[in-house]
Amino acid sequence: MTSAYGPWGIVAGGSDGVGVAFAHGMASRGINVVLVARRIPVLEAAADDLRARHGVEVRTVALDLSAPGALAELERVTSDLEVGLLVYNAGADTRSVAFLDRDLGTHLELVHRNCTAVLEAAHRFGAPMVARGRGGMVLVTSGAAWAGGAALATYGATKAFDLILAESLWAEWRGSGVDVLGLVLGRTDTPSHRRMREAEGESYGGPLADPADVAEAALTHLADGPTWIHGSENPTGGSPFGPLSRRDAVLAMSRGAAASKERSIER
């Protein structure tokens, strides 16, 4: 992997959960890692663990990726590194909320974090990869991208943006030596997922994907883009809604949100 994607990789949203699992997967393959997140103590603890376990170089960059100028700053502080792998994992939404129950500013922040910032990161770090003729990029998206759903309007729309962006970049760059993968996640055992379930009053049960398994599958299949649907029997296949009409898919997605709200009320 170091010859194809090294010597340095960036994990945006790399302090815990899937992000730090990606960092360990990259480090175990000999790739030095730049961890990017907001919380300095968590970042430093993750970096110390990576160094101790894998013997790689690790840099930490404390940034709020939704802030103006954040990606320009990330590019500046890594300008002395050859970044050959970018994993963009930031952008979770810890609550499923009806569209008008959330203020406009919060919606716009989510759009910036999950759309504008992802596009900017892909442009800033993808351009040198294409120029060198080697590199890799993983854009982490969600099953919410498959169809619209009640209480998922902005989040689902932003994740659909990420999915289409990843697939489009794969199509453009597939002959340039740069691999792009849109990683579609379902329920995964991460701190942000736990916070969402606790906030909604839903019991924390049912099958959940292990972040380490998610990261390992994505790194192993990075060259098998454009899309990897983790946990699916057909991970490179199409929408899990199959032959359903768009209308029925939206209603099915919405039933999940309604059931979650009912459980919250019952509690």
Side-chain angles (χ1 to χ4, degrees), residues 7 46 87 92 111 119 123 126 154 159 161 176 196 204 211 214 245 247 256:
V87 176
V111 170
L119 185 151
H123 196 280
T154 304
K159 288 303 180 179
F161 178 95
S176 69
M196 179 180 70
Y204 189 62
V214 169
S245 68
R247 180 179 186 275

Side-chain angles (χ1 to χ4, degrees), residues 120-214:
E120 186 177 351
H123 196 280
R124 288 183 182 276
F125 292 99
M129 295 180 197
V130 172
R132 287 193 298 266
R134 69 187 187 109
M137 189 175 296
V138 179
L139 304 184
V140 180
T141 180
S142 164
W146 294 125
L152 291 169
T154 304
Y155 177 71
T158 63
K159 288 303 180 179
F161 178 95
D162 294 341
L163 180 60
I164 298 301
L165 178 63
E167 292 176 339
S168 300
L169 294 179
W170 173 86
E172 289 191 22
W173 297 347
R174 59 192 300 245
S176 69
V178 178
D179 297 322
V180 182
L181 188 70
L183 174 60
V184 182
L185 294 188
R187 291 167 54 96
T188 305
D189 189 8
T190 65
S192 62
H193 185 87
R194 293 188 200 117
R195 288 192 293 270
M196 179 180 70
R197 295 304 164 193
E198 290 168 1
E200 293 180 355
E202 184 176 345
S203 60
Y204 189 62
L208 297 174
D210 186 312
D213 293 340
V214 169

Side-chain angles (χ1 to χ4, degrees), residues 8-37 41-61 212 215 219:
W8 282 87
I10 292 176
V11 182
S15 57
D16 57 23
V18 173
V20 79
F22 264 108
H24 280 284
M26 292 156 62
S28 71
R29 291 164 166 82
I31 298 176
N32 303 310
V33 182
V34 178
L35 294 177
V36 186
V42 181
L43 270 177
E44 295 299 339
D48 289 343
D49 190 33
L50 285 165
R51 296 185 190 103
R53 291 175 59 179
H54 306 291
V56 297
E57 293 184 62
V58 183
R59 286 191 188 179
T60 59
V61 181
L219 292 172

